[in-house]
Each structure stands twice: as C-alpha cells, then as structure tokens.
Amino acid sequence: MCTDFTIISGPCSVESEEQVYNTASELNRLVKPDYFRAGIWKPRTRPGSFEGVGTKGLEWLQNIQKDYNLKVITEVGSSEHVKELQKYNINAFWIGARTVANPFSVQEIVNVCEDKDITVFVKNPIHPDIELWTGAIERFLHAGIKNVHAIHRGFYPYEKTHLRNIPRWEIPIELARRFPDLKILCDPSHIAGKVDYISEISQKAIDLNMCGLMIESHYKPTTALSDKNQQLTPMELKNMIESLKFRANVSGDNSYKNSLSDIREKIDVIDYQLIDMLEHRFKLVDEIGNLKISHNVTILQLERWKSIVESRLNYANPDNISRDFLLKILQMIHKESIQRQNEIFGKKGE
Ligand code: PEP
Ligand code: MN
C-alpha cells in the first residue's frame, strides 16, 4: 500500500547552469518535489545527439541540493558514475532502461555502493522482460542497500502506437506481487513521449496504486536539448498534479467492505469454474490428439480453427467482452492445445 507518494521532477538532461537553476527554482516554488532529477550522462541511442554535460554538472546539482534543500538524483550507467556522485555528496541515483538490461553493469554499480543508505531507483528494461527488472532489484537488495525502489517507464512498442513506450501495466503489477514492500513509481514522460498524454498516464498509475511519479520538466521545454516534446514547465506540472485524483487503497466503510467481499466471493467461484472447465477442455483436446495420431492425421486443422474463432466471436456479446480480448484468449487456448497434441505425437511417434 502506498503511504508516502513521491514526486521526482526536473529536466531530462542537465544542459547549463542557468537551465538547471531556473528549473529547480521554479519547481521548488511551485511543486516542491521530493527529488530534483536531471541526467548528467545521457545514454543516447545514436552517437551525435546531446550526451549530457558530464561531471561538471555535478557541481551545479550539488549547489541546488544545498541552496534549495532539495534532494537531487541523476542516472548512472557505470561504477565510475557512482564514484563521481559520492564525491559530490549525491546520495540517490536511478539506473536507466538500457543499463538494467545488462547484469554485468548492474552488478558493477552495486559493488561500488559502499553507503548502504544510498537511494536507488531501478527502471524497467526497454524490453518487457520482468526477470531482468527483478534481477537488478535483487542485486541491490542482496547487497544490503535499504532504499531500493522501482520505476515503470514503459516498454519498447513493437507496433506503432500513439505512445513512445507501451505501458504493459500487467508487468509492474506482477513486480508488485513479487515484491510486496517495494515502492513502484511511474515515469509517464517516457511512456507518453508527448506532453498531451502525461496526465492520463499519471492518473492511471495512481489508480493502479503506484507510489509516485517521475515527470520531466524544463523551464523552457522548447529549447530542451533532449526529450523536448515530453517536458512540462513547472507551472504545467503544478496544474497537472492538482488535477490528479488521489484515492485510498482501502475504505473503512462497512457497506463498501460487505459489497466488496460478496462480489469477490462470486468471482472466486467463477475462477474455479473456469479452471475446472479448462481442465475438462484439455482432456478432450488430448483425446482428439490420440485420435489424430492413430489415424495419421495432422495436428493443425485450419478449417476447424477458423470456425472456432468465427463462431465464438459471433456468440459473444461485444458489450460485455471485447473481441480483441476474446480472440487473445482463444489464441492462447489453441496454442496450448497444439502444444499438448505435439507432446502426444512426440510420445506416440517414438
Ligand atoms: C531518462 O529518465 O531521462 C531516461 C533516459 O530514461 P529511460 O532510461 O527510462 O529511457
Ligand atoms: Mn528523458
């Protein structure tokens, strides 16, 4: 349960002393974030783009930390970066999506974290591989680092979408199931890629009980050297945060609690019925597999599969269940059925 909502904001990258100071000062006045973020070293997909100002920007961040009593945070991609932060008294960093995908780099970073009170935010890897995300978090936890948190920044979209990265909300939900005490924040800026969608993604994150937001902001976004389309001004950020609806994770209201448990009991029964029915269905699939092999007939029967899809989609009421969702379920069941029949063919064909 989220008891301590965290706001992290600041520019995508540190560009100049004037830029970080102006942004930090406006943010501090209007939003008072928990952390001021700014990328010192920027991992760019292609060489030639702005790669950050490097170590000289650490002095500016250190001064911001002191002058505004505002904790600062930046991205690290190597053990050298962590050592640099320690020299400038910066006690928080995040690991970016590209670095998390490399367990060697993550372990090297963990190995130089001598201060166990350091605060670490682990972003998800670019590709939807929850094991890599889990593994990176475990490396920090196993090293005894106490303040380890996660940031969900969306995943590479294999198909064209209006978003820069697709949220795949089921993945951070699974991460929360694996680490019930882990604080998970959302980075709507890198999911959206455009200021227009930041508010709705932030609201969705709150409704899914995420415990904070990392949002890029810049005092003059149009001049930003990286990610300019997704940076809000501090004033826009303030207005956006004020428009969000924060909801409780639980309610003490008795009638709510009773209705919820009544409905949940019904859902429990349906889930067990679904499992029973699937088990029954797979027994029949196995029977067909045995029939097919004994008559030397192929597993895939395209006409049958086409008629299953057509008849089930026609049968379902699209107001109650979306065609896309139903098709996905049918495809999963069909894939599992083929796999079972493959196994039967493998055994009997030996
Ligand atoms: C960033 O936060 O600026 C950044 C580069 O993020 P990500 O690693 O999520 O792409
Ligand atoms: Mn960025």
Side-chain angles (χ1 to χ4, degrees):
M1 187 177 135
C2 178
T3 48
D4 172 25
F5 200 83
T6 299
I7 300 275
I8 303 176
S9 189
C12 176
S13 44
V14 176
E15 298 163 9
S16 67
E17 187 169 14
E18 187 197 10
Q19 171 245 7
V20 272
Y21 252 90
N22 284 345
T23 309
S25 125
E26 280 186 39
L27 276 175
N28 194 47
R29 185 167 56 84
L30 297 167
V31 179
K32 294 220 170 306
D34 298 285
Y35 286 92
F36 178 70
R37 66 147 281 157
I40 290 277
W41 303 279
K42 297 304 295 175
R44 305 312 297 270
T45 307
R46 304 272 305 271
S49 320
F50 177 63
E51 294 191 325
V53 294
T55 310
K56 76 172 179 203
L58 288 175
E59 202 175 309
W60 307 331
L61 291 188
Q62 185 182 30
N63 290 338
I64 284 173
Q65 185 157 261
K66 195 159 45 75
D67 292 351
Y68 296 108
N69 193 20
L70 176 60
K71 287 182 277 184
V72 297
I73 177 165
T74 195
E75 171 173 350
V76 299
S78 71
S79 52
E80 289 310 309
H81 292 163
V82 180
K83 287 186 201 155
E84 287 296 322
L85 293 196
Q86 285 162 2
K87 287 188 208 155
Y88 290 83
N89 227 351
I90 296 174
N91 298 320
F93 61 75
W94 80 85
I95 307 270
R98 292 152 193 83
T99 308
V100 168
N102 183 346
F104 288 134
S105 307
V106 175
Q107 191 59 48
E108 272 175 28
I109 290 169
V110 169
N111 292 346
V112 292
C113 290
E114 281 156 22
D115 175 6
K116 304 300 175 209
D117 286 326
I118 200 158
T119 299
V120 179
F121 292 85
V122 181
K123 287 198 172 194
N124 63 262
I126 291 183
H127 297 284
D129 182 344
I130 191 166
E131 300 306 333
L132 277 174
W133 201 7
T134 301
I137 292 165
E138 282 171 346
R139 285 177 197 277
F140 284 100
L141 292 175
H142 292 174
I145 293 162
K146 295 179 213 108
N147 304 312
V148 182
H149 316 295
I151 299 181
H152 165 234
R153 49 79 77 200
F155 300 91
Y156 184 80
Y158 291 98
E159 282 160 26
K160 205 170 154 26
T161 90
H162 64 293
L163 299 173
R164 177 174 173 186
N165 288 296
I166 43 167
R168 297 280 307 264
W169 297 102
E170 72 280 10
I171 296 180
I173 290 173
E174 169 59 13
L175 192 77
R177 193 190 65 77
R178 292 183 183 192
F179 297 97
D181 298 327
L182 182 74
K183 185 162 168 161
I184 306 179
L185 284 74
C186 179
D187 169 351
S189 306
H190 288 88
I191 294 178
K194 232 175 140 188
V195 291
D196 309 28
Y197 309 118
I198 291 179
S199 162
E200 72 182 63
I201 296 164
S202 303
Q203 186 63 56
K204 182 89 191 260
I206 290 170
D207 292 339
L208 293 177
N209 212 21
M210 291 202 175
C211 206
L213 297 169
M214 178 191 253
I215 300 183
E216 288 185 340
S217 58
H218 192 295
Y219 84 113
K220 254 191 213 165
T222 49
T223 65
L225 297 181
S226 59
D227 288 353
K228 72 164 153 209
N229 296 333
Q230 66 191 36
Q231 304 206 54
L232 298 171
T233 62
M235 184 52 107
E236 285 167 341
L237 177 64
K238 172 185 155 70
N239 293 336
M240 201 280 292
I241 292 174
E242 282 173 3
S243 74
L244 295 173
K245 291 184 188 60
F246 288 85
R247 301 181 231 271
N249 180 236
V250 285
S251 161
D253 183 284
N254 276 335
S255 87
Y256 161 82
K257 284 202 268 186
N258 291 340
S259 310
L260 188 71
S261 73
D262 280 357
I263 301 171
R264 282 186 172 161
E265 262 173 43
K266 288 180 193 151
I267 286 184
D268 289 348
V269 171
I270 292 177
D271 282 351
Y272 291 122
Q273 286 173 342
L274 279 173
I275 294 171
D276 287 344
M277 288 207 269
L278 280 172
E279 284 182 1
H280 191 175
R281 194 186 191 285
F282 286 129
K283 275 203 188 103
L284 298 172
V285 163
D286 290 353
E287 265 180 50
I288 293 185
N290 285 318
L291 262 178
K292 282 178 182 163
I293 182 116
S294 60
H295 290 79
N296 222 10
V297 169
T298 56
I299 292 177
L300 182 63
Q301 300 286 322
L302 207 50
E303 285 313 310
R304 166 72 177 155
W305 169 232
K306 277 188 351 212
S307 94
I308 287 183
V309 172
E310 209 180 292
S311 56
R312 282 28 164 198
L313 293 184
N314 276 339
Y315 175 80
N317 180 345
D319 292 339
N320 298 333
I321 185 164
S322 88
R323 287 173 70 86
D324 267 6
F325 173 73
L326 184 56
L327 181 59
K328 274 191 206 138
I329 296 228
L330 290 170
Q331 284 167 333
M332 276 171 64
I333 293 175
H334 189 237
K335 189 173 163 201
E336 175 71 9
S337 305
I338 287 185
Q339 196 170 314
R340 292 178 76 100
Q341 295 190 352
N342 258 323
E343 272 169 33
I344 292 171
F345 272 45
K347 277 189 205 129
K348 296 239 165 132
E350 276 163 10

